[in-house]
Amino acid sequence: MITPPGLCPTLVGSEMFNSRMYQVAHPSTNSVIKRFIDIVGSIVGLLILSIVFLPIAIAIKLDSPGPIFYTQARCGLQGKPFKIRKFRSMVANADALKSKVKNEAKGLIFKNENDPRVTRVGNFLRKTSLDELPQFWNVFKGEMSLVGTRPPTLDEVAQYKEHHWRRLDVKPGITGLWQVSGRSSVKDFEEVVTLDLNYQKNWHHLYDLYLILKTIEVVVLRKGAY
């Protein structure tokens, strides 16, 4: 089967996805105010990135051989694929070594509190969330939002059950309800889904601002990050 332009390959031919194609979009996806907040926030984030880029890039290179960025394909709003970039926090061949690391999470997510693939600099970047800074470019382009749901990988989406698909009804976010509710300490995928759907249910511009402020608090205090 040939993949139609603009869809993640894992969605093509999915009966569940096809049955949802013509549903009314979530109001957040058409909000001018939310998009304005995203643009302003992404510009601020990109300015911070421009300041810290050089020292972070040098630290990554000195600490571990390999590229500065880690690039990965994700599924976004309504299954539209896009690529995210993070500062590399693991060894260069981390994906090849994944099968050798124990998954401490339950369901369609992968987490290991003491993942041996994480570098020394990477550990610091993760705890401070500095590895996420390049994603502000995705927000600026409109592929992501400041606040949304955790952006799923293609292999995760390939295993989705019916209720999981609703996560794709909003743009993925740099932060979200899952981020302020434990971050990496949330190890059950169904709990992540519940948090994502609760965000959609309770969405409002002021709620977004509240979650942004809570995220700043979580990052500063380094709660639940590894």
Side-chain angles (χ1 to χ4, degrees):
M1 179 179 293
I2 299 175
T3 303
L7 290 183
C8 286
T10 49
L11 301 181
V12 179
S14 166
E15 181 178 340
M16 183 59 201
F17 177 75
N18 291 334
S19 69
R20 295 177 59 79
M21 284 183 66
Y22 303 105
Q23 289 194 356
V24 177
H26 189 272
S28 67
T29 63
N30 296 314
S31 171
V32 175
I33 296 177
K34 183 176 177 67
R35 180 59 185 148
F36 175 76
I37 294 174
D38 282 348
I39 292 175
V40 173
S42 64
I43 290 174
V44 173
L46 290 172
L47 287 174
I48 296 174
L49 174 61
S50 67
I51 296 172
V52 301
F53 174 81
L54 188 58
I56 290 178
I58 293 174
I60 291 173
K61 281 293 188 179
L62 291 177
D63 185 49
S64 170
I68 296 171
F69 296 113
Y70 173 73
T71 304
Q72 187 178 47
R74 299 291 180 101
C75 277
L77 175 64
Q78 297 177 345
K80 185 176 181 180
F82 70 102
K83 290 184 177 181
I84 65 167
R85 287 180 176 82
K86 298 182 178 183
F87 282 119
R88 182 172 59 85
S89 60
M90 290 186 172
V91 294
N93 61 337
D95 288 339
L97 298 174
K98 184 176 179 179
S99 61
K100 298 181 179 181
V101 180
K102 180 181 178 181
N103 186 9
E104 298 176 345
K106 179 181 179 181
L108 305 181
I109 52 176
F110 186 94
K111 293 183 183 295
N112 185 294
E113 187 170 356
N114 298 299
D115 195 323
R117 299 173 299 165
V118 178
T119 63
R120 290 173 299 176
V121 169
N123 184 56
F124 172 77
L125 294 177
R126 288 184 169 209
K127 287 185 178 298
T128 56
S129 294
L130 289 172
D131 61 319
E132 308 280 354
L133 284 177
Q135 292 179 65
F136 280 108
W137 179 243
N138 295 109
V139 176
F140 185 77
K141 292 196 298 180
E143 297 169 334
M144 293 180 65
S145 177
L146 292 178
V147 185
T149 59
R150 175 183 167 275
T153 61
L154 273 63
D155 60 325
E156 288 175 12
V157 174
Q159 304 176 67
Y160 271 10
K161 296 181 179 179
E162 180 175 340
H163 63 289
H164 299 150
W165 292 91
R166 290 177 55 197
R167 303 183 66 248
L168 302 177
D169 287 348
V170 299
K171 286 183 180 180
I174 290 182
T175 189
L177 189 55
W178 51 271
Q179 176 83 336
V180 302
S181 301
R183 299 173 77 186
S184 293
S185 62
V186 179
K187 297 183 179 181
D188 189 334
F189 178 66
E190 295 300 331
E191 184 177 350
V192 174
V193 173
T194 298
L195 291 170
D196 285 342
L197 298 186
N198 283 340
Y199 166 73
Q200 293 185 29
K201 180 181 178 181
N202 298 310
W203 176 79
H204 188 274
H205 303 109
L206 293 179
Y207 190 41
D208 273 0
L209 293 175
Y210 164 77
L211 291 177
I212 291 172
L213 292 176
K214 286 294 293 183
T215 298
I216 295 174
E217 176 188 348
V218 167
V219 170
V220 170
L221 298 178
R222 301 186 185 182
K223 295 181 179 179
Y226 57 79

